[in-house]
Amino acid sequence: MRPDRCLHVCLLGDPGSGLSAFLRSYRGPEGGPDAAIESMVMEVEIEGEPWKVRFTDNVGLPCFDTLRSAALSSAHVVLLCFASDSEFSLLHLKERYGPMHWSTGSEAPTFVVGLKSDLRGAQGHQCVEEDVCFEAADRLGALAYLECSAVWPESVQRVMEEALATAKDYYAVQWQLCPDPSFAAPDRLTTAAHPRESEEQQFWLDHERQNISDDPRPVDQDTVRQSLSMLGRTSNRQTAYLRSDLSGLGLTSIDALRPFQHLQFVNVSRNQLRTLEPLGALRCMLHLNASHNGLIRTQCFTAPDFLETADLSYNMIGDLGDWGVHKYLRELNLRGNFISRIGPGLLNNKELKVLDLSENHISNIENLDGLKLQELQLAQNQLSSLKGVAALQKLQSLDVRHNVITSIAALQAEDMPRLRKLCISDNRITQIAEVAGLESFPFLCELLLAPSPVVELPYYRSQVLHRLPRLRSLDAEPVPAEEKVKAEIIYGCDAEARQQIFDELLPKESFVDRRLVTEEQIAAHEVDTFGQEGDAGPYGGANPAGGAGGPAGERSRLQEAKLRQRLAVARGGGEPAGTGDFENFAAPFASIVVGDEDLPAILEAALEGDVERLILGPSKLSVRSIREIVSVLATAPGCLRHVEITDCQFIGELEKELVNSFPYARGCSMEAPDCGLSAAGSEKLQNQTEQALDALKRQAEQRKRSADLTQECISKQEVLEDFAAQRCSRENPPEPDEPICHPARWREGINSEAKAALKAFVKKNPGWGVEDETVALAEGSKLPVDAGLVQALRLQRDAMLEEWGCMLEAAPEGSGSLLTALGRPLPMSFLEAFGVAGHKSDEPARRNMSKTKRAGSATRKLSPSPDPSATTGASPEPPSAADLALRIMDSDNLLGFMLWAGVRPGQEAVAHLRRDPQEHEREWAKRNESQNALSSAAREAYDAEASAIGIASGMLIAHFTYLCAGGDRGWDKLLMAEDLGSLKAPGFFGLKHRLQGMPRPATKRGHDLHEALSHGFVSFEAVTGSSFGADSLQLRLKNETSGVLEVAVRKGSIFQHVDWQHRQNLLVRMDYVIEIPAGAVVSKRLYTYSMNLSCACASGNPMNLTEFYFDDDKVLLEQSLVWEHFESRFTAKQ
């Protein structure tokens, strides 16, 4: 017996991570090791039951753009795969593929799978640490982290067994899902399922186009001849073979079939075909089986004249297409594709009798009017209603199993009088009255309802058979006559006749109804169990409240995974944006009740994701947890200002305390219905006051300020990275930096020196050029300029701009310009300095600037350009950046400044654009000497007696002292020891030393990280900084004890770089508690603030925990406030 249930497994991950090798290893040798895999279907046994399993490989690829939503939404399990030896592929799971999965609204469970695990421990390969992988899986909301390698098939088998067992569990409860109204929205259907015509055609061409490398297994003539069978008469009365079976050969093209034009039966299933274009030559073809291939559209071959049956199941088709040309089509099988809508493409197929659209993503039955369908299969779709099926008057069999249908009232006998078989199992049919509505179907003899909530009603079979006595089969079990009789007895069909006979025979005795079960007893049982008669409720016996967090472990694995997924969504900003929702779930199998054990993780995720509104719903929270929520609202940084809790009795008990201590001034509010609050207390906590609105407005303004400064910081990273590379600790000097005339020196953030130099140049050279054919230089001398020097400088200038990445090429004809600027844009300040000045000269001045055209000129001199301030009249339209770049090339303004900056033409143009290497090396050595002297003094002062390995504080004070001396505000500025001065005191920056002054208050939970390190309870395996904000600091901590340990990383803790990196130091934004099992290594990512805006971001650099901390809560509220505080100290007058 072939399985009629299909599981769908989707794989997501970077190309080249080993996804196809993983599937090939699981599939075995069938199809060959080199066969590409985009989609494959296997029949497997899962826990003793036969199942069909469909695998879709790498749904994240661009070719799936129009199919991705349907593919992921129909998945029963999603495998997020990465290469174990690639940290970037793991990072992409968190940044790209995890959010891609969540964006579809799919409730399918996920696993994080590390591929190529055979490389772990192999020489020459550095793999991602296992604790980092487990942390990534947890933060992605995955059920588990698994590892395997295609080299070890048994490991692949173990991963697949666990994944498929979970998919099977999900399949069993999927009927509980509520229909997604957003998917059926017209605009979504238009954009997702029907791309614009030009995009669609391009997509098809890209996928179907093949070159030699894409066609490793074309069929040949010999193979075709061996596949021939069924000798018979052709349409022109000739004798020929009419059938060709080319199934399961891993073929990638079938061009060799073209000459066999008399074929009527063609089977090319289970190959790797992307197009059926060669079949257009088979004009006599009647029956086509092209299932289990890689087709993405139905009209991929010229229509034969008399096609009767077509099987295109288990491909990757996203649109039904137009089948109107196949006038004789009787059977069409499109099962197992990604079709989202039944389009109008079948309306002209009046001979169509059988249509199978099962295992797609269809949400509505439509566009079937006037068809003479006898069998319609729509199992495993997204149907929420049977509206539209009434148009099929000759329908005899309807299969809508495994959808989200809640009613079958749309089925009427007058519309479909011939209906014989109805399969509506795995739906949300709850009322026995729905079944009673089928009584009017005269030929209905086979009905499948189980599983559905209605089957949980007492004596369900008897109730159905009483209402539908003509049934021969119910839920795939025969209905014997004895069972029908028992049903009639329960409902007392003969009770009146028996009483009449009894009264006649025994008139003096009282009649007693001795039935063991009666209709009244069934009704009473239903009321006791479900609270209503004849209705099992939307979920039957499933618990709609879900499990509560706690040591009792009441939740299923799917519920635990869903909680972790909601945590990950909250860290990403929430869905919808700004909302952390832990109440509203699509079905009971995914829903949870928040408990005390969940709250710390929920609050941490909400603060990291800057969630504004936290919805906890019905919760089992203790007094301590409620107080913790209020404490977070009152003091924690971030945006959280509103919390919703329902059905929590302790809130009512704490009403007086809550009303008196609630942080109204921050604009915070709480809604707590059904918690025992008085009306006055509830209104007070909702905090709908003018002061609250003002507080929220101020907070939004501060958030915008942080966003603006963050964007400014990001925009300067290229410049700051170059600065850090020039100034960081290294064995050998870096490349000599560019002269002041180079575009690199005019980038935002370091252009103050360049602007000052240009100002000095213009002061000595008012005309931007020469006086008496000379240029006045900075040292006071004058440099003679002749035609040869001008031409050499032009070459030098072109080489400089080309080195920057700005290139010129001939402009398109008719554009009105000879040249156009391409490549990397020039800095705006550079364009404004040299492009605008050259543009604003009047025509006589331009004639003085250049007596000959640029092309071929060898005698052009440096010529003056008038002061821009001298222009009068209305201001013209501001020129574009491209125009300014061309004007720089069209004038010689830059040439004089190049001479001022020390550029002298030579045989190697680009080489002379940089400083003299020996001079550069001397300056680098002096700079290193002054920096090292400063850091040595700081280490001697603060690190002489380090409390533990991994704790150091000297570099922080050394770097901050350097910043106070202006070390970050000058590209060429050479700071010597006398410039740096003495070390700044930590108090100057508002820092406090952990071991000095007043002791820091004790932690609420766990061991303070400093104390745990000092006492040897834990040790650092690694501390790494990457940028700032969420997940910017990664700690890898090892538990050195024999018990479970909780370690607290406190708000305001500071991490420094281990040496001169000239990058941002990091300040922990909020409190964290990390649980570490005995002897284990745990990885944890923290949210940190950047402390110094004028430096490059950390970029995977090792860091030290310092003894310093910063505890000004008003500053710790926002990144902008932290930057403003420390930058004010760096720029304060000494």
Side-chain angles (χ1 to χ4, degrees):
M1 177 180 176
R2 299 181 68 85
D4 63 347
R5 297 172 298 177
C6 183
L7 300 177
H8 185 196
V9 180
C10 275
L11 282 72
L12 281 170
D14 280 346
S17 296
L19 280 73
S20 293
F22 168 65
L23 288 180
R24 281 195 293 267
S25 178
Y26 181 67
R27 180 189 58 190
E30 179 187 352
D34 58 344
I37 294 180
E38 290 170 325
S39 179
M40 76 175 191
V41 180
M42 298 177 61
E43 293 182 10
V44 299
E45 187 174 288
I46 305 173
E47 298 177 348
E49 299 179 5
W51 286 80
K52 185 176 290 185
V53 181
R54 177 186 182 189
F55 298 91
T56 304
D57 183 13
N58 213 341
V59 184
L61 291 176
C63 66
F64 278 96
D65 284 348
T66 57
L67 309 177
R68 186 175 298 117
S69 179
L72 290 174
S73 298
S74 62
H76 297 98
V77 67
V78 177
L79 304 184
L80 301 173
C81 303
F82 73 99
S84 297
D85 63 339
S86 171
E87 188 174 355
F88 284 106
S89 64
L90 177 60
L91 180 65
H92 291 161
L93 292 189
K94 293 183 285 188
E95 294 182 348
R96 183 184 307 164
Y97 299 112
M100 182 184 291
H101 171 48
W102 303 331
S103 67
T104 65
S106 170
E107 300 288 337
T110 61
F111 288 89
V112 172
V113 182
L115 305 176
K116 303 181 181 181
S117 62
D118 59 298
L119 300 178
R120 191 175 293 281
Q123 187 175 2
H125 293 275
Q126 185 173 359
C127 292
V128 183
E129 298 292 344
E130 288 189 358
D131 57 288
V132 177
C133 300
F134 279 104
E135 185 223 15
D138 184 67
R139 293 176 79 86
L140 282 164
L143 271 172
Y145 168 66
L146 308 171
E147 274 192 357
C148 65
S149 170
V151 178
W152 302 324
E154 64 278 5
S155 68
V156 174
Q157 187 69 28
R158 285 195 299 270
V159 169
M160 278 301 190
E161 285 176 358
E162 184 161 358
L164 293 179
T166 302
K168 175 176 174 288
D169 293 341
Y170 177 69
Y171 181 96
V173 296
Q174 199 176 13
W175 62 268
Q176 298 179 10
L177 290 172
C178 298
D180 182 4
S182 65
F183 189 85
D187 56 341
R188 178 169 178 177
L189 288 173
T190 301
T191 56
H194 304 285
R196 292 188 299 271
E197 186 69 19
S198 60
E199 294 178 353
E200 181 178 293
Q201 294 303 323
Q202 184 61 39
F203 175 57
W204 302 144
L205 291 175
D206 287 345
H207 182 82
E208 295 172 352
R209 186 183 296 119
Q210 287 183 322
N211 53 35
I212 294 177
S213 61
D214 297 324
D215 190 15
R217 293 192 172 190
V219 69
D220 54 41
Q221 295 271 343
D222 292 338
T223 303
V224 174
R225 291 189 182 96
Q226 293 173 11
S227 72
L228 298 177
S229 62
M230 192 183 293
L231 192 64
R233 289 292 184 94
T234 66
S235 58
N236 56 2
R237 299 185 179 276
Q238 295 180 352
T239 302
Y241 286 106
L242 306 180
R243 184 183 185 95
S244 174
D245 289 286
L246 295 168
S247 177
L249 300 180
L251 302 176
T252 52
S253 66
I254 50 175
D255 287 292
L257 274 173
R258 293 180 190 273
F260 298 86
Q261 299 182 8
H262 298 301
L263 287 175
Q264 297 179 8
F265 300 81
V266 177
N267 182 1
V268 290
S269 62
R270 300 185 182 277
N271 287 293
Q272 298 293 326
L273 302 177
R274 295 187 177 188
T275 179
L276 301 178
E277 187 272 334
L279 299 185
L282 310 183
R283 308 307 303 166
C284 299
M285 185 169 59
L286 300 177
H287 307 282
L288 170 64
N289 184 354
S291 61
H292 300 84
N293 280 284
L295 307 176
I296 59 175
R297 58 172 177 159
T298 55
Q299 273 65 57
C300 55
F301 62 101
T302 304
D305 297 328
F306 305 104
L307 187 66
E308 295 182 4
T309 67
D311 185 352
L312 300 180
S313 59
Y314 297 106
N315 282 279
M316 298 189 298
I317 297 169
D319 188 81
L320 179 65
D322 187 357
W323 292 85
V325 293
H326 302 284
K327 297 181 180 180
Y328 302 99
L329 188 66
R330 293 185 291 106
E331 296 182 14
L332 177 60
N333 187 351
L334 291 170
R335 173 187 290 258
N337 285 284
F338 301 122
I339 299 171
S340 299
R341 177 174 177 263
I342 303 177
L346 294 173
L347 291 176
N348 293 323
N349 295 97
K350 303 303 182 181
E351 300 299 320
L352 189 64
K353 299 295 189 293
V354 178
L355 176 61
D356 190 348
L357 290 170
S358 300
E359 300 170 32
N360 281 281
H361 204 62
I362 297 168
S363 56
N364 293 298
I365 301 175
E366 56 186 334
N367 292 316
L368 298 179
D369 306 59
L371 296 185
K372 300 177 182 179
L373 284 177
Q374 297 178 3
E375 181 178 342
L376 176 61
Q377 298 188 39
L378 287 165
Q380 281 190 238
N381 278 284
Q382 297 291 316
L383 298 175
S384 59
S385 168
L386 291 177
K387 182 179 178 181
V389 76
L392 303 173
Q393 297 184 357
K394 296 191 176 183
L395 193 66
Q396 298 181 18
S397 175
L398 176 62
D399 184 355
V400 288
R401 170 178 45 86
H402 205 82
N403 281 277
V404 286
I405 298 169
T406 57
S407 173
I408 55 176
L411 297 179
Q412 299 294 327
E414 55 267 26
D415 298 325
M416 296 173 291
R418 302 183 184 184
L419 188 66
R420 300 175 58 87
K421 178 180 179 180
L422 174 61
C423 179
I424 197 165
S425 56
D426 276 312
N427 281 283
R428 295 175 60 194
I429 308 302
T430 65
Q431 300 178 4
I432 195 67
E434 295 276 350
V435 179
L438 300 175
E439 184 178 8
S440 57
F441 285 88
F443 299 107
L444 183 64
C445 59
E446 188 173 352
L447 177 64
L448 291 95
L449 281 167
S452 285
V454 70
V455 305
E456 299 185 26
L457 293 174
Y459 296 94
Y460 147 74
R461 285 182 66 88
S462 296
Q463 292 200 54
V464 173
L465 293 177
H466 168 67
R467 291 165 172 82
L468 304 176
R470 286 187 288 269
L471 287 183
R472 297 179 184 176
S473 174
L474 177 60
D475 296 332
E477 294 183 10
V479 179
E482 294 84 353
E483 190 173 12
K484 292 183 179 181
V485 171
K486 289 179 181 179
E488 295 302 322
I489 290 175
I490 288 175
Y491 280 87
C493 294
D494 63 339
E496 186 176 342
R498 285 191 293 113
Q499 183 176 0
Q500 184 178 359
I501 294 172
F502 183 90
D503 291 339
E504 291 177 358
L505 297 177
L506 301 171
K508 296 182 179 181
E509 300 292 333
S510 299
F511 177 77
V512 178
D513 189 350
R514 300 186 182 277
R515 287 178 294 168
L516 298 178
V517 181
T518 65
E519 182 178 2
E520 292 75 16
Q521 291 174 338
I522 292 175
H525 191 180
E526 290 172 345
V527 172
D528 291 342
T529 305
F530 303 105
Q532 52 194 341
E533 183 179 341
D535 191 341
Y539 304 109
N543 177 17
E554 301 171 2
R555 292 187 185 134
S556 67
R557 295 183 71 206
L558 290 177
Q559 288 171 326
E560 287 291 346
K562 186 53 60 178
L563 170 61
R564 290 198 292 273
Q565 188 182 102
R566 287 294 173 96
L567 291 172
V569 172
R571 286 191 196 96
E575 180 60 40
T579 300
D581 188 353
F582 294 86
E583 176 187 17
N584 301 299
F585 294 87
F589 73 83
S591 63
I592 62 168
V593 174
V594 174
D596 289 341
E597 296 293 321
D598 309 315
L599 190 63
I602 290 175
L603 292 176
E604 177 185 303
L607 294 176
E608 286 188 338
D610 285 324
V611 165
E612 301 172 6
R613 180 169 172 250
L614 184 59
I615 304 175
L616 299 178
S619 306
K620 294 182 178 180
L621 297 176
S622 64
V623 170
R624 178 181 176 181
S625 293
I626 295 167
R627 287 172 174 157
E628 178 65 19
I629 292 174
V630 175
S631 174
V632 167
L633 288 173
T635 62
C639 300
L640 185 59
R641 294 294 184 272
H642 178 77
V643 176
E644 296 180 18
I645 305 176
T646 58
D647 197 20
C648 182
Q649 61 178 2
F650 291 112
I651 289 182
E653 297 178 11
L654 291 173
E655 178 175 352
K656 184 176 180 180
E657 178 183 334
L658 286 174
V659 170
N660 292 333
S661 63
F662 201 74
Y664 303 106
R666 295 190 74 189
C668 298
S669 58
M670 175 183 286
E671 291 189 16
D674 301 324
C675 293
L677 288 174
S678 66
S682 177
E683 183 179 357
K684 180 74 172 175
L685 291 175
Q686 290 175 13
N687 197 18
Q688 301 296 314
T689 64
E690 296 258 343
Q691 293 82 355
L693 295 176
D694 289 342
L696 293 176
K697 183 178 179 181
R698 289 193 300 271
Q699 182 221 7
E701 291 172 350
Q702 196 61 55
R703 289 291 301 163
K704 185 178 185 304
R705 171 70 174 155
S706 291
D708 292 342
L709 286 176
T710 299
Q711 187 60 41
E712 178 185 337
C713 176
I714 293 172
S715 67
K716 294 180 179 179
Q717 283 307 298
E718 181 185 2
V719 176
L720 297 176
E721 284 287 343
D722 290 350
F723 184 89
Q726 289 284 338
R727 301 296 190 271
C728 69
S729 298
R730 54 194 304 166
E731 294 182 2
N732 300 313
E735 279 279 321
D737 46 11
E738 299 84 357
I740 205 74
C741 61
H742 197 284
R745 302 295 298 277
W746 286 81
R747 291 174 291 178
E748 188 65 30
I750 60 166
N751 55 12
S752 56
E753 289 180 83
K755 289 181 178 180
L758 179 61
K759 185 176 181 180
F761 166 73
V762 174
K763 185 175 181 180
K764 288 195 175 185
N765 298 272
W768 288 75
V770 298
E771 292 180 4
D772 299 327
E773 300 185 344
T774 60
V775 171
L777 302 179
E779 61 272 18
S781 62
K782 292 188 177 182
L783 181 67
V785 178
D786 58 18
L789 179 60
V790 171
Q791 187 65 15
L793 283 171
R794 288 174 183 161
L795 295 175
Q796 196 85 322
R797 177 192 59 194
D798 294 350
M800 179 176 69
L801 296 181
E802 185 176 349
E803 183 192 32
W804 167 259
C806 179
M807 297 165 288
L808 299 176
E809 70 172 23
E813 187 174 351
S815 63
S817 177
L818 295 176
L819 298 171
T820 183
L822 299 174
R824 186 181 182 187
L826 291 164
M828 185 52 65
S829 58
F830 183 84
L831 293 171
E832 291 172 350
F834 302 108
V836 173
H839 167 60
K840 290 187 176 181
S841 58
D842 56 15
E843 191 59 29
R846 293 187 66 82
R847 284 196 295 269
N848 290 333
M849 288 172 59
S850 177
K851 294 182 179 180
T852 60
K853 294 291 184 182
R854 168 174 167 74
S857 174
T859 61
R860 188 174 181 182
K861 302 287 185 72
L862 290 168
S863 52
S865 173
D867 189 340
S869 62
T871 60
T872 59
S875 299
E877 287 292 324
S880 66
D883 290 338
L884 295 177
L886 295 177
R887 288 163 189 166
I888 289 175
M889 304 299 295
D890 195 41
S891 75
D892 288 335
N893 295 333
L894 179 57
L895 303 187
F897 187 61
M898 290 171 61
L899 294 173
W900 174 276
V903 175
R904 300 294 182 267
Q907 293 180 348
E908 298 180 10
V910 176
H912 283 270
L913 289 173
R914 298 186 178 271
R915 293 182 177 178
D916 177 76
Q918 294 182 349
E919 178 187 354
H920 171 72
E921 188 169 347
R922 285 193 298 270
E923 289 188 1
W924 173 78
K926 290 179 181 179
R927 184 186 300 119
N928 265 7
E929 183 180 349
S930 60
Q931 288 185 168
N932 292 337
L934 183 63
S935 58
S936 297
R939 285 170 176 151
E940 184 176 349
Y942 297 102
D943 298 337
E945 298 180 0
S947 59
I949 297 175
I951 298 180
S953 308
M955 272 306 306
L956 178 73
I957 301 301
H959 190 197
F960 279 9
T961 302
Y962 180 90
L963 295 178
C964 288
D968 63 323
R969 294 184 294 278
W971 192 261
D972 290 325
K973 194 168 184 178
L974 180 60
L975 296 180
M976 303 304 293
E978 56 271 18
D979 299 317
L980 297 172
S982 59
L983 292 171
K984 295 292 182 183
F988 179 77
F989 306 105
L991 307 181
K992 296 180 180 178
H993 197 285
R994 184 178 66 89
L995 302 176
Q996 299 172 4
M998 292 291 293
R1000 201 172 186 186
T1003 59
K1004 294 180 181 179
R1005 280 181 59 200
H1007 299 274
D1008 179 84
L1009 177 59
H1010 290 88
E1011 298 293 336
L1013 289 166
S1014 300
H1015 290 89
F1017 296 159
V1018 297
S1019 60
F1020 280 133
E1021 290 286 302
V1023 181
T1024 307
S1026 300
S1027 190
F1028 59 91
D1031 295 347
S1032 54
L1033 183 68
Q1034 183 177 25
L1035 306 183
R1036 295 187 61 236
L1037 293 169
K1038 182 178 182 182
N1039 185 350
E1040 302 289 357
T1041 70
S1042 57
V1044 178
L1045 201 63
E1046 284 189 339
V1047 177
V1049 184
R1050 307 180 69 173
K1051 178 173 69 173
S1053 299
I1054 297 173
F1055 288 79
Q1056 67 166 25
H1057 289 278
V1058 298
D1059 53 16
W1060 285 104
Q1061 291 296 319
H1062 293 279
R1063 295 182 180 275
Q1064 297 168 355
N1065 301 288
L1066 300 179
L1067 175 66
V1068 178
R1069 184 197 200 200
M1070 49 191 275
D1071 292 325
Y1072 288 89
V1073 176
I1074 307 171
E1075 184 177 297
I1076 314 175
V1081 176
V1082 169
S1083 177
K1084 179 69 174 179
R1085 293 182 181 271
L1086 312 182
Y1087 193 121
T1088 64
Y1089 289 134
S1090 158
M1091 299 181 72
N1092 34 305
L1093 176 61
S1094 54
C1095 294
C1097 294
S1099 182
N1101 304 93
M1103 304 192 79
N1104 291 137
L1105 173 67
T1106 71
E1107 298 280 14
F1108 298 113
Y1109 65 93
F1110 184 81
D1111 63 354
D1112 189 336
D1113 286 337
K1114 293 182 179 179
V1115 175
L1116 289 171
L1117 291 176
E1118 280 291 346
Q1119 174 65 82
S1120 58
L1121 297 174
V1122 173
W1123 273 332
E1124 288 166 359
H1125 169 81
F1126 285 101
E1127 291 297 325
S1128 69
R1129 305 316 300 152
F1130 300 150
T1131 56
K1133 292 184 179 180
Q1134 307 302 309

